[in-house]
Amino acid sequence: MLFQKKKKPGSVEECQKNQDWTGLAKCYYQMGVDAMEAGDLNHAQLWLSRADTIYSADDDIYDGVGEKLMDDCSDRIGQLEEKPLLYNSVPASVEEMADSMGDAEVRVWGLLSLARLVKLGERLAVLPGCEFLSRLGWAIDTILKSFQEPPTEDEFNGLQDICDALYEWGDSTDFWGLGSEINVPGGAPFQLFDLNGMMGTHLEIDAYLHSHLNLICALSQEEEPPAPETGIITGALLPDYFVRTGADKLEEVPHIKAELERISSDYDFLHSELNWERIRERIETYKNLDILA
């Protein structure tokens, strides 16, 4: 009996077309390994994280890729977390900055960043399984109002519904499997899977909303409120998009630089007295901002 060579995974496009999700995870993993061995650590971060998201989403895929691949992928991602990449340095810097702020200021800081995702969410909402992203603007308005008065039951449940949709969506082929994308005027198309970077923008939105709901519950029961989430503050950087579309140095990408300046500007803005009218005006400006323009 002749020895049969192990079949290599097909291309990303072939795996998507054939709905070969195990092959897709293996393909992204191999792309990540190749990038890492070539010293291209940003692409290694991009592809290995995509592989991890896919095989973590489904038990059959998890079993199909095998423990050896998953262990190596996790080890490599762990190594990348120790490297001086923007993926690591910016969240660490934000956490350090947040330590100098009060909890309310940190929560508003996150809300300002979330507002900059509204326009993108509205554009992505036309894609399969993404309709709920059109409600980000409503969620932001509801959270802003809830800083000053308790939400109604319908408002609370509406925020919970968005959390539930985000949680389910992250494990769905709508998010990571179909290759769904939107056109970007003057730039390469934006893929849904480009939200996977920085721990997952969709997961950070979910974490922020859940934290706020837990805050509301704690205050209503006169309990100690949970610590604010800081992950969403970097949620509009979208580094996966720029790495995937060819950026060599993320720190020099004009869109990244502009978003880092907005994060810093919001930090300075919130160190003055919390003025809800000025915060509302800033949020309205951000809600109309196309961060990919």
Side-chain angles (χ1 to χ4, degrees):
M1 182 176 179
L2 294 175
F3 174 75
Q4 293 183 337
K5 290 185 178 180
K6 189 176 181 180
K7 184 180 179 181
K8 293 183 179 180
S11 69
V12 167
E13 292 77 13
E14 288 174 346
C15 292
Q16 289 171 337
K17 180 180 178 181
N18 298 325
Q19 297 189 15
D20 178 7
W21 307 134
T22 298
L24 185 61
K26 291 180 178 180
C27 186
Y28 278 133
Y29 163 76
Q30 189 58 54
M31 292 164 66
V33 170
D34 293 344
M36 195 166 183
E37 293 181 352
D40 186 351
L41 301 187
N42 280 327
H43 275 92
Q45 177 74 39
L46 168 69
W47 303 130
L48 291 172
S49 293
R50 288 195 174 194
D52 178 79
T53 294
I54 294 171
Y55 66 64
S56 299
D58 184 276
D59 288 342
D60 290 338
I61 303 173
Y62 188 90
D63 293 337
V65 300
E67 290 187 7
K68 183 177 179 180
L69 182 152
M70 291 186 292
D71 288 345
D72 185 67
C73 188
S74 295
D75 287 345
R76 289 176 181 274
I77 290 173
Q79 293 173 40
L80 290 169
E81 289 174 350
E82 302 300 320
K83 302 297 183 181
L85 303 177
L86 180 141
Y87 282 96
N88 305 321
S89 61
V90 173
S93 177
V94 164
E95 286 190 22
E96 185 177 342
M97 294 164 72
D99 287 341
S100 68
M101 306 172 75
D103 284 2
E105 287 79 5
V106 175
R107 295 180 193 280
V108 175
W109 197 15
L111 191 64
L112 291 169
S113 291
L114 180 56
R116 295 195 287 275
L117 292 167
V118 167
K119 187 63 65 176
L120 178 61
E122 290 173 350
R123 296 180 61 198
L124 293 175
V126 302
L127 299 175
C130 301
E131 298 83 0
F132 69 95
L133 292 175
S134 65
R135 302 193 67 206
L136 286 181
W138 172 85
I140 289 163
D141 292 342
T142 301
I143 290 172
L144 179 61
K145 189 181 80 168
S146 73
F147 278 111
Q148 301 166 75
E149 60 183 73
T152 65
E153 183 177 353
D154 285 344
E155 289 171 337
F156 186 95
N157 291 337
L159 292 174
Q160 184 64 62
D161 288 343
I162 296 175
C163 287
D164 294 342
L166 282 162
Y167 181 80
E168 295 175 2
W169 186 63
D171 288 339
S172 167
T173 56
D174 288 337
F175 173 59
W176 50 258
L178 303 181
S180 298
E181 61 186 28
I182 57 172
N183 290 327
V184 175
F190 182 92
Q191 297 180 353
L192 273 183
F193 214 177
D194 290 331
L195 294 173
N196 195 58
M198 310 291 277
M199 299 300 291
T201 298
H202 59 299
L203 296 177
E204 298 297 2
I205 296 173
D206 182 26
Y208 181 85
L209 296 181
H210 257 121
S211 176
H212 194 76
L213 291 174
N214 290 337
L215 170 68
I216 292 168
C217 291
L219 293 176
S220 68
Q221 298 172 21
E222 298 184 352
E223 296 177 351
E224 184 72 19
E229 294 285 337
T230 61
I232 190 57
I233 295 169
T234 61
L237 283 168
L238 307 176
D240 276 16
Y241 169 70
F242 298 105
V243 172
R244 182 182 61 79
T245 56
D248 292 326
K249 296 182 178 180
L250 286 173
E251 294 82 359
E252 297 179 4
V253 174
H255 293 76
I256 295 277
K257 292 170 69 175
E259 178 59 16
L260 288 173
E261 289 174 2
R262 286 188 285 264
I263 291 172
S264 179
S265 175
D266 289 344
Y267 173 78
D268 294 336
F269 168 73
L270 292 169
H271 266 74
S272 61
E273 180 182 357
L274 280 182
N275 182 302
W276 295 112
E277 181 57 29
R278 291 179 61 207
I279 291 170
R280 185 193 64 78
E281 292 172 355
R282 201 173 182 95
I283 284 176
E284 287 302 315
T285 298
Y286 285 154
K287 283 165 60 179
N288 291 305
L289 177 67
D290 185 349
I291 54 176
L292 296 179

